[in-house]
Amino acid sequence: AEAELARREAERTALSELLASPESEGGQPVWDRVEVDSGYEAAVGAALGDDLQASTSEEAPVHWRELEAAQDGASLPDGVQSLADVVRAPSALKARLAQIGVVVPAGDGPRLQGLLRCGQRLVSKDGALWRWDGYTVAANAPTAAIRRLKARNRLTRLVDECVEAERRKQSAEKAADEASEARKSAEADWEKARAAADEAGDTLRTARDARASAETELATSRSRLAGLAETLARLERENSDATSAAATAREALDAIPPTSASDAEFEQLRTALAGLRESYEDRARRHDRIARDAADRSARLAELAREGESWKSRGGSARQRLAELAKRRTEAETERTELDAQPAALGERRQKLLGAIETQEGERRVVADALAAAEEQATATSKALKAAENAVAEAREAAARHEGIVAQASQAEEHAATQISERLGVSPEEAHTIAELPPQGEMLPDPEAVDIKLQRLIRERENIGAVNLRAEQEATELEEQIETMQNERSDLEAAIARLRQGISSLNREGRERMLAAFATIDEHFRRLFTQLFGGGKAHLELVDSDDPLE
C-alpha cells in the first residue's frame, strides 16, 4: 500500500511539474483553463491543436479575443453533438467550440464531412478530424495538446486515487498493527498453552500415579474387608452359640431347686455366665467396630471410584487440549514458514527493480548522447545562420548603396536634362541632333574629341560607381535562405526541447523509481534488523549526492 501510494504521489508530482505553466508576458495558456470530460481528450486536442497554447490576455502577441457581439454560426449536421457540451473552457472559445461536432461512431465522419459549412469541423473520440475544406487527420495522431489534456485529466484522477491510496495505506497499517498484536498474542497464548500442556502432562502423570495407588489401596481394602466379613460371620456364630448357651444355662438354673448344696454350683454358674456375658459384650464391640470399618472402607472405595472417574475426565480434557495445542503449533509453524519465504521474494523483487533502474539509466545515456549530437548540430546551424545574417546585412548595405547611387544618377540625369533644357531649351533627344552626331553606321567624330568625351564620360561613370542590377534579387534570395535556416533552427530548437523534456522525464521517472525502490528496501531493512537483533533501529540513507541517479 505504501509503494502504491508513493507511485501515485510520484506520478502526481511529475504531472504537476509537467503541467506547470510559468507566467510569461503572453499570459497563461488556454489549455490550463480547459476541462474536458474523460475520453474526449483526443477529440479536443485534434479540434483545437496548437491553438490551445494561446492566451486570453490581449497583451499577448497571440491570444483569444472575446467578441461581445459574436454571431452564431451555421448549425452542425443533424445528430452530431457539439464539442461545447463536453468541454468547460473560457467564453472566448465559445464560438469555436460551437462549430465543432463529435462524431459517434467515427465511421460517419467521411459521410458527414460533405455537409459541413464554412468554418465547421468534425472530430471523433480517438482524435480523427474532418474539416469543412476537405482537410482530414487520421485517428490516434499524437499531439502536445492531446497529451497535455490527457495528463490534466489523469492528474485530476490521481488526486482522488492518492486519497484512496492513503486510506488503503492507513487501513493496511492498522491491519498490520492488529495482525502484529494478534501474532504477539497468539505467540503468548501458544507459550501459555505449551506451559499448560506441560502442566497438564505433569498433572496427568500424577493422576495416573494416584489412580494406581488408589487401585492398590482399593484392592488391599477389599481384601481386608473380605477378612473382616469372615471374622464378623464367625463372631456372629459364636455370639449366637453364646446366647444359646446362656439361655440353656438360665433354663437349667431355673429348673434346679433351691438348695443349699447347689449354692456353690450356682455361684459357679453365675461366674461362668458373667464370663460368657463379658465375652459376648467384647465380641459385640468387635463386631460393631468391624462393621464401622467396613462401612468406612466402602465409603472410601466409592470416593476412590469417583476420583478415578474425575481423573479419567481430566485426562480426556488434557488430551483434547494437547491436540488443540498441537494443531495451533502446526499453524504457527506454517505461518512462520510463509514469513521465512518473504525475504527471498523481496530480494527477487529488489533485483528486478535494480534491473529496471539499469535499463532506465541506459536509455538516459542514449538520449543524452542524442541530445549532445543535436546540440552540436544546433550550434553549427546557429553559426551558419549568423554567417547568413551577416551576408544578408552586407547585401542590404550594398543594395542601399546601389539604390543611393541610382538615385544620384537619376538626379544627375534629371540635372543634365534640366541643364540641357535650361541651356538649349530642348530635350536630350533633340540635343543629339543639335550636337550633329552622325547617325549609327556613319563616320565617327574626331577620335581625340571622342576620347576627350570618353574620358569625361568615364570620369563621370567612375564618379557614379558600379551598379549591381542583381542586388535586389540577390537580397531576396539571401532573405529566403535566412528564412529557411530560421525555420530549420526553430525545428532543431523544438527537437532539442523535446529531447530535453524526454531526458528530464526519464531522469524524473528514474529518480522516482529509484527512491521508491530504495524506500521499500529501507523499510524491509529496518524491520529485518529489528527482527534479527531483537530490537534496536537501523536505516539506509543516500549520501554524498543530491541526485539519486548519481
Side-chain angles (χ1 to χ4, degrees):
E2 289 179 349
E4 183 68 16
L5 176 60
R7 184 180 67 80
R8 296 185 186 278
E9 289 286 356
E11 185 178 359
R12 184 180 69 174
T13 303
L15 287 178
S16 299
E17 294 176 355
L18 181 63
L19 295 176
S21 298
E23 291 295 334
S24 62
E25 60 181 2
Q28 184 183 16
V30 171
W31 60 18
D32 289 337
R33 301 171 58 189
V34 173
E35 297 181 3
V36 184
D37 290 352
S38 180
Y40 289 89
E41 299 89 349
V44 176
L48 299 178
D50 293 338
D51 294 343
L52 290 173
Q53 299 183 22
S55 172
T56 56
S57 173
E58 296 188 1
E59 297 178 357
V62 179
H63 62 272
W64 287 90
R65 182 182 177 190
E66 184 174 355
L67 302 179
E68 296 180 356
Q71 299 294 329
D72 294 336
S75 60
L76 295 169
D78 294 337
V80 177
Q81 180 187 13
S82 174
L83 190 62
D85 296 338
V86 296
V87 177
R88 275 77 62 194
S91 57
L93 275 68
K94 179 179 179 181
R96 174 71 173 274
L97 294 174
Q99 295 301 311
I100 302 174
V102 181
V103 180
V104 179
D108 294 341
R111 177 178 61 82
L112 297 174
Q113 188 175 17
L115 303 178
L116 297 177
R117 302 294 181 87
C118 181
Q120 293 181 340
R121 60 189 69 189
L122 299 174
V123 293
S124 65
K125 295 178 70 174
D126 54 4
L129 172 68
W130 298 273
R131 208 165 64 185
W132 62 276
D133 54 0
Y135 181 77
T136 304
V137 178
N140 300 318
T143 64
I146 294 175
R147 289 192 296 269
R148 189 172 184 91
L149 292 174
K150 288 184 176 180
R152 286 182 60 83
N153 282 354
R154 174 60 180 163
L155 180 61
T156 302
R157 292 194 300 271
L158 277 175
V159 173
D160 297 333
E161 291 178 2
C162 286
V163 174
E164 180 64 21
E166 178 67 26
R167 187 192 62 77
R168 288 197 300 269
K169 176 193 169 214
Q170 294 177 355
S171 177
E173 288 177 346
K174 182 178 179 182
D177 293 339
E178 293 177 353
S180 178
E181 293 297 330
R183 178 180 179 182
K184 292 178 180 178
S185 178
E187 291 176 350
D189 291 342
W190 185 71
E191 292 294 338
K192 292 179 180 178
R194 185 171 62 181
D198 295 340
E199 183 179 357
D202 295 339
T203 304
L204 180 60
R205 286 190 294 272
T206 304
R208 287 176 178 173
D209 294 340
R211 180 182 177 185
S213 176
E215 289 177 350
T216 303
E217 185 178 354
L218 178 60
T220 303
S221 298
R222 285 177 178 176
S223 177
R224 292 180 62 187
L225 181 62
L228 291 172
E230 293 178 356
T231 303
L232 179 62
R234 181 173 56 80
L235 290 173
E236 286 177 348
R237 288 193 302 270
E238 292 178 353
N239 186 26
S240 178
D241 293 343
T243 303
S244 299
T248 302
R250 189 177 291 111
E251 291 176 356
L253 181 62
D254 292 338
I256 297 173
T259 60
S260 57
S262 61
D263 289 339
E265 185 178 359
F266 177 74
E267 288 297 333
Q268 293 177 357
L269 290 174
R270 179 177 291 176
T271 301
L273 179 60
L276 290 173
R277 186 174 293 160
E278 289 178 359
S279 176
Y280 170 76
E281 292 176 356
D282 181 58
R283 290 181 180 182
R285 285 193 299 272
R286 289 176 62 189
H287 176 269
D288 294 338
R289 186 176 66 255
I290 290 172
R292 287 194 302 272
D293 291 342
D296 293 339
R297 293 187 183 278
S298 297
R300 179 60 177 166
L301 287 174
E303 183 179 357
L304 290 174
R306 288 193 300 272
E307 290 181 358
E309 294 297 328
S310 175
W311 283 113
K312 287 181 181 179
S313 176
R314 292 180 65 181
S317 299
R319 284 190 294 272
Q320 183 179 1
R321 183 62 175 171
L322 287 173
E324 293 178 356
L325 291 174
K327 181 179 179 181
R328 292 181 64 180
R329 180 178 181 180
T330 302
E331 293 176 353
E333 290 178 351
T334 302
E335 183 180 0
R336 185 184 66 182
T337 303
E338 294 176 355
L339 292 175
D340 290 340
Q342 287 187 2
L346 293 174
E348 183 179 356
R349 184 179 178 186
R350 174 178 176 273
Q351 293 299 326
K352 291 182 180 179
L353 291 173
L354 291 176
I357 291 173
E358 292 179 358
T359 302
Q360 293 294 331
E361 182 64 21
E363 294 178 358
R364 186 186 70 81
R365 288 194 293 269
V366 172
V367 175
D369 295 339
L371 175 61
E375 288 179 346
E376 291 179 358
Q377 184 177 1
T379 302
T381 305
S382 298
K383 292 180 180 178
L385 178 62
K386 290 180 179 179
E389 290 175 348
N390 293 332
V392 169
E394 294 176 356
R396 285 177 177 172
E397 292 177 358
R401 289 196 301 270
H402 297 158
E403 289 176 356
I405 293 173
V406 170
Q408 292 177 359
S410 298
Q411 293 177 358
E413 182 181 2
E414 291 176 357
H415 181 68
T418 302
Q419 288 182 347
I420 292 173
S421 177
E422 291 177 352
R423 293 180 182 180
L424 301 178
V426 296
S427 63
E429 290 78 9
E430 294 174 350
H432 182 276
T433 304
I434 295 174
E436 296 180 355
L437 294 175
Q440 186 177 1
E442 295 184 2
M443 181 66 68
L444 295 175
D446 183 23
E448 294 181 358
V450 173
D451 185 61
I452 293 171
K453 186 177 180 180
L454 178 60
Q455 293 298 326
R456 179 176 57 80
L457 293 175
I458 288 174
R459 285 194 301 273
E460 291 180 356
R461 186 188 67 182
E462 288 177 352
N463 291 332
I464 295 174
V467 178
N468 185 3
L469 300 179
R470 296 188 72 255
E472 185 175 1
Q473 182 178 359
E474 291 176 355
T476 303
E477 292 176 354
L478 288 175
E479 289 177 351
E480 291 177 355
Q481 292 178 2
I482 290 173
E483 183 178 0
T484 301
M485 289 182 178
Q486 287 177 343
N487 293 333
E488 292 177 353
R489 178 183 180 182
S490 299
D491 293 339
L492 286 174
E493 289 176 349
I496 290 172
R498 287 193 297 272
L499 284 173
R500 287 177 175 171
Q501 183 177 4
I503 290 173
S504 176
S505 178
L506 285 174
N507 287 340
R508 184 168 54 253
E509 184 176 359
R511 293 186 185 97
E512 293 168 357
R513 293 189 179 183
M514 173 65 185
L515 291 176
F518 188 84
T520 302
I521 295 170
D522 180 37
E523 178 186 358
H524 293 301
F525 175 75
R526 291 170 185 254
R527 186 167 58 252
L528 183 60
F529 181 91
T530 304
Q531 292 177 354
L532 286 177
F533 293 95
K537 294 183 180 180
H539 69 279
L540 302 178
E541 182 179 359
L542 295 174
V543 297
D544 295 337
S545 176
D546 294 334
D547 188 357
L549 295 181
E550 296 179 359

